[in-house]
Amino acid sequence: MTSTELTIRDFRPADAEAVAAAHRAGREHLVMTAEALLWLNAQQNPDQHFRTFVAELDGRVVGAVRCGLVLGTTTTGVGYANGSVLPAFRRRGAATALLAAAERHLAGHGVTELHSWLDEEPGSLAFATARGYELRRAAQFGGRDLTLPLPQAPVRPAGVELRPATDWADDPRPLFLVEADAIRDEPGEVSIDALDYEEWLRGDWARPDLDLGLTVVAVVDGEPAAFTMVQTDGVDRYWSAFTACRREFRGRGLAKLAKLESLRLAAAAGYRSAYTSNDTTNAPMLAVNAWLGYERCAGERKGIKHLK
């Protein structure tokens, strides 16, 4: 009988490629690079208590879980833990041990409500419910082949410009104000009602996979009104990280214009596959993405557990 030695430990820089591979395995729609993982684990806000735990089976890195406190909200005691294990090494205790390590760590820092995104497939959902997670809202991933033609651009309203986020590289606060306003209306169990500029700079604007040239801003009479933020793998895969529009500018098709222009630029730059995700209740953005040619390729569910 072959014995298996399971080890749970903290992330090391040498783990980045293996952890990224576990994150993407069976999830073509997820865009995550080793460089981004290294950055996530190097830049840390002490208020977030972020940690990545890694699972080794017989000395091989087979999975990981990233966890921390949810920031940007006036709601206290909420944390997150999102992990994955290589398919060939599942049902051997690694996922259970990783999740337990994340729960212990976050409970020690005052988390009483833990959120985790789960692949919408029977095994993943059963795993979570067996460990005390209640299934809540659903989200869907959309994929688009960027080698296929894009829709024809609608007529642009008077006074609207489409500009790359590089134009705000030295002072991105106007883009932060767009996100801080729009994110209050994002579907979710926790209201992001206290977004902090310095934390946004550290946690969003400074990401190494953020592509400012493909992040397109819709400007109305000189004022940023909407944008679509883009992350890429630097090769051929594009991820729509967040699309935002200030409340007073909604209903003018600005998000549609920004997203279409971004996809056009991405296709011209050689990106071949585009992916996005939306809450299944977000009908306006689902309609925009359907018009852009995205098709559902996967789903996920939010699991929530109350820690003692």
Side-chain angles (χ1 to χ4, degrees), residues 118 122-135 303:
L118 312 161
S124 178
L125 300 181
F127 172 88
T129 55
R131 285 154 184 81
Y133 286 79
E134 178 186 351
L135 301 181

Side-chain angles (χ1 to χ4, degrees), residues 29 31 142-147 236-240 263 266 271-276 293-295 297:
H29 50 280
V31 180
R144 195 201 197 282
D145 184 344
L146 287 177
T147 67
D236 63 359
R237 291 157 55 78
Y238 165 114
W239 173 253
S240 179
L263 290 174
Y271 287 92
R272 299 178 62 83
S273 300
Y275 298 97
T276 188
Y294 283 96
E295 296 181 353
C297 60

Side-chain angles (χ1 to χ4, degrees), residues 1-8 55-63 84-99 127 131:
M1 182 176 180
T2 303
S3 63
T4 299
E5 182 179 351
L6 173 63
T7 302
I8 304 298
E56 283 186 355
L57 278 169
D58 295 331
R60 175 177 176 176
V61 173
V62 300
S84 55
V85 173
L86 288 169
F89 295 90
R90 292 173 185 169
R91 301 184 182 278
R92 296 170 66 177
T96 298
L98 284 168
L99 193 56
F127 172 88
R131 285 154 184 81

Side-chain angles (χ1 to χ4, degrees), residues 8 18 57-58 71 96 108 141 164 181 190 197 199 207 222 227 243 248 250 266 269 294 300:
I8 304 298
L57 278 169
D58 295 331
L71 302 181
T96 298
F141 293 96
D181 181 63
V190 179
Y197 180 56
E199 175 57 26
R207 285 186 66 107
F227 68 73
T243 299
E248 63 266 36
R250 291 177 188 170
Y294 283 96
E300 62 182 354

Side-chain angles (χ1 to χ4, degrees), residues 119-190:
D119 292 333
E120 195 172 44
E121 55 89 18
S124 178
L125 300 181
F127 172 88
T129 55
R131 285 154 184 81
Y133 286 79
E134 178 186 351
L135 301 181
R136 297 281 188 88
R137 63 192 178 97
Q140 74 175 48
F141 293 96
R144 195 201 197 282
D145 184 344
L146 287 177
T147 67
L148 298 178
L150 290 161
Q152 183 175 352
V155 175
R156 192 181 304 178
V160 175
E161 300 176 85
L162 298 177
R163 294 164 53 185
T166 49
D167 288 359
W168 289 268
D170 294 333
D171 180 17
R173 183 178 285 275
L175 305 189
F176 164 79
L177 294 176
V178 174
E179 178 163 341
D181 181 63
I183 204 168
R184 292 172 179 264
D185 297 328
E186 276 292 289
E189 297 82 5
V190 179

Side-chain angles (χ1 to χ4, degrees), residues 20 38 66 68 74 96 122-123 137 170 186 235 262 281-283 295:
L38 287 168
R66 300 180 308 281
T74 55
T96 298
R137 63 192 178 97
D170 294 333
E186 276 292 289
V235 181
S262 178
T281 66
N282 192 347
E295 296 181 353

Side-chain angles (χ1 to χ4, degrees), residues 226-298:
F227 68 73
T228 187
M229 187 175 286
V230 173
Q231 298 162 6
T232 72
D233 67 355
V235 181
D236 63 359
R237 291 157 55 78
Y238 165 114
W239 173 253
S240 179
F242 188 59
T243 299
C245 184
R246 296 189 68 152
R247 301 178 201 190
E248 63 266 36
F249 293 104
R250 291 177 188 170
R252 306 186 194 183
L254 300 180
K256 178 185 285 189
L257 287 169
K259 288 177 74 88
L260 178 60
E261 176 66 4
S262 178
L263 290 174
R264 186 191 68 77
L265 292 171
Y271 287 92
R272 299 178 62 83
S273 300
Y275 298 97
T276 188
S277 176
N278 298 105
D279 190 281
T280 56
T281 66
N282 192 347
M285 194 54 66
L286 288 171
V288 168
N289 287 332
W291 178 83
L292 289 166
Y294 283 96
E295 296 181 353
R296 180 188 171 98
C297 60

